[in-house]
Amino acid sequence: MIQGSVVYLDNNATCAVAPEVLDAMQPFFTTLYGNPSSMHTFGGQVHSYVEEARKKVAALLNAEHEEIVFTSCGTESNNHAIRGVLQALPQKKHFITTKVEHPAVLAVADYLEKNGYMITRLKVDNLGNIDLNELSSAITSDTALVSIMAANNESGTLFPIDEASKICREKGVFFHTDAVQAAGKIPLDVKKMPIDLLSISGHKLHAPKGIGVLFIRKGTPTRPFLLGGHQERNRRAGTENVPYIVGLGKACELALSHISEESEKIRLLRDKLEQGILKAIPFTRINGNPRWRLPNTTNIGFELIEGESILLHLDKARIAASSGSACTSGSLEPSHVLMAMNVPFSYIHGSVRFSFSRYNTEEDVNHVLATLPGIVEKLREISPFYTKEYKEKARNWPL
Ligand code: PLP
């Protein structure tokens, strides 16, 4: 339980800043406030903390520290990666991505399309998986870059970025992955995978909102996204956000040192919740790949009811979850991810995502399992689609 009262199960939207991270950041607001680019010792001292943080971020990815560029968020990192490579390779006019990326990639693809680029958006199957043969045959001599996310924010489905990056490397095409949801939750090793660019966002791994990272492998052709000063080896202008950079370094260090035991603990809680829901509540299904997904995410479809209504009732019971990505909720459009996965119409509007963090407990899961079946039952009772046949089947649930 976070803050003693809310069962917070929306960690893919954002998560709590770890107390250790906050402690690490504190001095950089009060005593160590120098500009890391200054010539004097006061600034130079701060510079050394930025470089230490860079090494900690690099360690999470098994990258070289010079390959880490600090940005303001995951969205900036994605924009920088894609637009930077395409600008550096002006003769190539083809960009490949998937239909289920975050808007921070999809909106860039739309923008490029309006500006003369050819875009291939790879489809996914019912479980949210891409087809690597489709990727391979989509690559042409005009392709500059492929961008495929490491893990989907809504379904949690993991993408085969290892194989996809190898295909790209063999064909001489650069490869970017949006690892905003994967970093800190599953191991990532850029020495083992020929990934050229990789995006991270601080607020998805217990650092604050407003800090991100773009890994750029040495030798990758790219252009800066923000023009100005010479910070970040001329790759990202703007005075470094030192407290947040230090915080992100600490968050990466914590994630790296606990990743295996933490992800196992989180997976067990997620599975307990998921199995409890599927067993107790009729007409429910998992959206996404149940085997190959993030340990902290489950996306469950509840037939015949609206996800938003479920969320409102959960909210009253002090349970925070989500009906999709935080960026698209608020619109009544069904999720582009679930639509691309061909989730049946009767489930697509009734889908809820529960996403865990290291701070969730078994008590949280028990509270949801004690609350949710009653909410769903109440909402179905007032649904005109909840016919006698459904009620009959529900009595014999699980079938
Ligand atoms: N990419 C993915 C997969 C995300 O889930 C998000 C945020 O939800 C982003 C990118 C954007 O990150 P930020 O909020 O740091 O801009």
Side-chain angles (χ1 to χ4, degrees):
M1 292 244 190
I2 301 288
Q3 293 172 355
S5 59
V6 177
V7 172
Y8 187 73
L9 290 170
D10 199 13
N11 289 281
N12 285 8
T14 194
C15 56
V17 173
E20 301 90 329
V21 168
L22 194 58
D23 283 350
M25 290 169 62
Q26 215 80 44
F28 298 89
F29 291 109
T30 49
T31 47
L32 289 165
Y33 53 82
N35 186 325
S37 300
S38 296
M39 291 296 289
H40 43 70
T41 314
F42 190 60
Q45 197 185 357
V46 172
H47 175 79
S48 66
Y49 286 100
V50 170
E51 294 316 305
E52 203 182 297
R54 199 183 304 282
K55 286 184 186 149
K56 290 177 180 169
V57 176
L60 184 68
L61 304 176
N62 198 17
E64 300 300 320
H65 62 97
E66 305 89 343
E67 296 174 321
I68 299 300
V69 177
F70 290 111
T71 66
S72 67
C73 58
T75 300
E76 184 190 324
S77 300
N78 286 344
N79 271 264
H80 185 158
I82 301 166
R83 296 167 77 170
V85 170
L86 294 183
Q87 263 185 40
L89 300 173
Q91 69 287 7
K92 301 211 179 225
K93 295 286 178 202
H94 182 214
F95 171 59
I96 301 177
T97 187
T98 77
K99 289 185 176 203
V100 295
E101 300 294 313
H102 187 272
V105 168
L106 289 180
V108 181
D110 293 347
Y111 170 84
L112 292 168
E113 199 165 37
K114 287 195 190 103
N115 286 277
Y117 280 84
M118 225 264 306
I119 310 295
T120 301
R121 298 171 183 84
L122 302 173
K123 60 182 184 323
V124 294
D125 66 15
N126 294 346
L127 298 178
N129 304 317
I130 54 162
D131 176 354
L132 288 171
N133 292 325
E134 193 195 353
L135 166 65
S136 194
S137 44
I139 295 173
T140 70
S141 56
D142 201 30
T143 311
L145 180 71
V146 172
S147 178
I148 296 177
M149 66 200 327
N152 186 267
N153 44 307
E154 294 191 33
S155 64
T157 299
L158 299 176
F159 289 83
I161 52 167
D162 189 4
E163 291 92 328
S165 59
K166 283 178 183 145
I167 291 171
C168 291
R169 179 60 63 88
E170 272 162 27
K171 297 197 175 231
V173 170
F174 292 95
F175 183 82
H176 165 250
T177 186
D178 173 349
V180 163
Q181 292 294 344
K185 296 176 190 158
I186 56 167
L188 292 168
D189 185 337
V190 296
K191 294 253 172 3
K192 291 200 180 132
M193 296 186 276
I195 291 167
D196 300 297
L197 306 109
L198 179 150
S199 305
I200 297 183
S201 172
H203 71 110
K204 313 288 184 177
L205 72 157
H206 302 292
K209 298 160 194 60
I211 182 74
V213 161
L214 180 61
F215 156 79
I216 308 177
R217 189 182 293 281
K218 253 179 250 162
T220 306
T222 180
R223 294 279 179 275
F225 183 55
L226 287 187
L227 303 175
H230 298 295
Q231 292 89 352
E232 299 295 286
R233 295 167 182 254
N234 292 317
R235 291 169 299 180
R236 201 274 185 181
T239 303
E240 295 86 345
N241 185 352
V242 179
Y244 284 50
I245 288 172
V246 170
L248 180 57
K250 185 71 195 175
C252 289
E253 183 182 61
L254 290 171
L256 185 62
S257 58
H258 300 303
I259 201 160
S260 44
E261 78 262 20
E262 242 171 29
S263 62
E264 185 54 13
K265 179 203 134 184
I266 290 170
R267 189 183 64 73
L268 288 172
L269 289 178
R270 188 271 317 268
D271 289 353
K272 180 174 175 181
L273 178 74
E274 186 174 270
Q275 282 153 23
I277 291 174
L278 295 181
K279 195 164 164 223
I281 307 180
F283 318 117
T284 42
R285 54 166 268 155
I286 301 171
N287 299 319
N289 189 334
R291 286 178 191 280
W292 193 235
R293 64 182 159 155
L294 288 173
N296 81 318
T297 308
T298 177
N299 189 312
I300 300 183
F302 297 85
E303 202 180 0
L304 307 175
I305 42 180
E306 296 284 332
E308 272 70 21
S309 312
I310 302 174
L311 292 179
L312 285 176
H313 283 79
L314 285 175
D315 193 43
K316 280 192 201 143
R318 306 198 62 76
I319 298 165
S322 150
S323 61
S325 79
C327 312
T328 44
S329 55
S331 79
L332 289 174
E333 287 288 300
S335 137
H336 71 283
V337 176
L338 301 185
M339 284 207 295
M341 286 160 59
N342 271 324
V343 169
F345 184 76
S346 59
Y347 281 93
I348 204 164
H349 287 281
S351 290
V352 175
R353 178 187 71 185
F354 299 95
S355 48
F356 289 74
S357 81
R358 67 170 76 118
Y359 300 117
N360 288 114
T361 62
E362 194 144 4
E363 206 188 332
D364 293 347
V365 172
N366 293 339
H367 181 50
V368 179
L369 289 178
T371 313
L372 188 56
I375 292 174
V376 173
E377 180 61 25
K378 207 157 84 185
L379 290 171
R380 283 192 176 144
E381 282 303 334
I382 55 172
S383 164
F385 305 108
Y386 198 48
T387 56
K388 266 205 310 219
E389 289 74 24
Y390 271 107
K391 286 179 189 166
E392 186 57 37
K393 274 196 209 158
R395 269 194 283 280
N396 300 319
W397 195 266
L399 295 173

